[in-house]
Amino acid sequence: MKLSAIVRATVIAASASLVLGACTVGPGATQSGTSSQGASDVTIGLTYIPNVQFAPVYVADSQGLYNDAGITPTVRHHGSDEGLFTALLAGQEDVVIASGDEAAVAASQGMDLVSIGQYYATYPGSVIVPASSSITSLADLAGKNIGIPGEYGSSYYATLAAIKAGGLQTSDVTISSIGYTQQAALAAGQVDAVVGFTNNDAVQMRLAGIDIREIPLDGASTPLVAASIITTREWAQAHPDAARAVVSATTEAMNAIAADPQVAIDATAKWDTTLSDETSLAAANAVLAATVPLWLGDDAHADGMQDFATWSSMVSFLTSIGVLEGDVDPTVIVTNEYASTADAASPQS
């Protein structure tokens, strides 16, 4: 959906590079797959650091849910030097977990991208401040110094959305590019607030013993789309059954994890060898507890269905802040045609 990490221990898909080759492994890339005779081969790309936030993919792979849906999966964690959508557009990868906002920006650059399924039903962006801070609302950010990794990607877009939601202009605040040092910068008082993700940055800070408070971005009004299941329109149209299988099996795994979170830990441990350490395992369980509600949304059930109105609002917002490099038709970059319970193929239906 890309999630910044404190010491990079936890990362989400949505906001980092996600490309892997289907047949050749790039530097640092890892892959694993189950097999099923007669099934269609599908390469699913994830960011380069294995993490429990990708557990639905791990579970669907390890429990054979992708096979049952009719596809043979190859789960790939790309090399750290690969671009976000490079392998996807090169046809070396079929699907990636990436944030909707970054997909929209890439589409504005002419990339043939479409979101075929919802990964996060709830937007995880959050303004994080010390518990003792006088900042209690987004409007209180006026005159304050906000730390973010840099003026790019999901954290930056979330920052601009928070400023707008607080009735402010960018000129009313100071935005500081501090790299992935949110935890240290906030603890040292170098910034007044940071923008991060409630299921990652906030979790890591609390685990580190930092007394913080969150001011979440209102998911109902925030004009951004988090982690989504992204592919190219060309691939989806050529492989509709495989696209449906990816969405249905991934969301089935989300519901299975909600029923028994331990299956997520077990599946993730095959990828993340640090989970043999008790401290890392405790952190993974904390991240998982904060992530499950994001997969399920308000109705406590994942189905992959996407909200067209939010995608349209996001395109309008990203246009208004000047990050889109060309016109983007929201009806082209999102579809529910491949969601298991879809009754609409496109925003016009």
Side-chain angles (χ1 to χ4, degrees), residues 24-77:
T24 58
V25 181
T30 59
Q31 69 176 18
S32 177
T34 55
S35 62
S36 175
Q37 186 175 6
S40 300
D41 295 336
V42 176
T43 299
I44 302 172
L46 307 174
T47 58
Y48 61 91
I49 300 178
N51 187 269
V52 73
Q53 294 174 63
F54 297 122
V57 175
Y58 302 147
V59 169
D61 179 29
S62 65
Q63 294 193 355
L65 301 182
Y66 288 130
N67 293 153
D68 293 343
I71 59 176
T72 298
T74 296
V75 179
R76 298 289 305 278
H77 283 276

Side-chain angles (χ1 to χ4, degrees), residues 143-168:
K144 299 299 192 292
N145 189 348
I146 307 170
I148 60 174
E151 294 188 5
Y152 56 84
S154 294
S155 295
Y156 180 50
Y157 310 145
T159 300
L160 299 183
I163 292 170
K164 181 178 180 179
L168 307 173

